[in-house]
Amino acid sequence: MTRPPKLLIFDSGLGGLTVFAEIAKLRPHADYLYCADDAGFPYGSWKEPALVERVVTLMEALIAEHAPDMAVIACNTASTIVLPDLRLHWPNVPFVGTVPAIKPAAERTRSRMISVLGTPGTVARDYTQNLIAQFAGHCSVTLVGSQRLARLAESYMHGERVSDADIVAEIAPCFREEGGRRTDAVTLACTHYPLLIEEFKRLAPWPVEWIDPAPAIARRADQLLGERFGAGAPGDGPAARRAIFTSGLQPSGLLATTLARYGLGRDFASTPGAGRA
Ligand code: DGL
């Protein structure tokens, strides 16, 4: 293949940037289209059938218009419910999902007390329950569905003030002590949360291992790309990085500066046919 592969990275908002950043480290010369469904944000409280329909409809427009070689659903809330539908509709597009990193948490914990911090949608999913049953049977698992953290992470990325008290209130339920043992691993089961990782570390009542699956997801995407298109050698050709916001709003001010740090500053575009949810 002479042209660089084109990757679509999709999330409800800016959380997918945490996954995009890791993939771009491994594949700096790929073309990237980052799509934030900000018109539908937050996904955490959507009912499952409506969310499936929303994502499939958006994907239809995105795939028709941009013909990506791979789509990364950089959102746990969506991945834990829509991946089977996406794979059924587009059997020729490889989809890489983002699901709660329960296995690594269960492998690394010493206290056998782990917490899964995600959106209310993600922690309620059968998919999450199945991962726990499959990989964490020996652990006490605390599921924490945060109503506000994804929004706080968005505010943070827009350069707005986020108070310590607000963050503490959301992460506090992850920290449990029981019979001389205490939580020592917390899975970040929402791609927005690693955006606040330094705040989590600073505000945690005791140190824990925060598990961000983004590097593992990036390795998986890189491996699949390697199988289809070969290794991404430096100097493969000119690459494009564009961001799309389904609201049609153009990022301004601090957000534009933040996106530019990810190389997403050059060519913002809106998604036809998306519109407000
Ligand atoms: N970033 C998304 C996730 O990984 C969810 C944020 C939201 O829209 O509630 O679950």
Side-chain angles (χ1 to χ4, degrees), residues 44 116-121 123 144-150 152 169-171 193:
V116 179
L117 180 60
T119 65
V123 301
V144 180
S146 168
Q147 294 285 354
R148 299 185 57 212
L149 261 187
L152 293 176
E170 300 301 305
I171 65 171
Y193 301 168

Side-chain angles (χ1 to χ4, degrees), residues 151-171:
R151 206 178 273 288
L152 293 176
E154 287 280 320
S155 301
Y156 183 83
M157 293 297 274
H158 283 80
E160 292 157 19
R161 205 183 80 83
V162 175
S163 82
D164 286 359
D166 282 346
I167 295 177
V168 167
E170 300 301 305
I171 65 171

Side-chain angles (χ1 to χ4, degrees), residues 11-13 15-16 41-45 74-78 119 122 150 189-192:
D11 183 30
S12 59
F41 179 87
Y43 277 1
S45 44
C75 173
N76 293 260
T77 313
T119 65
T122 296
C190 169
T191 53
H192 277 74

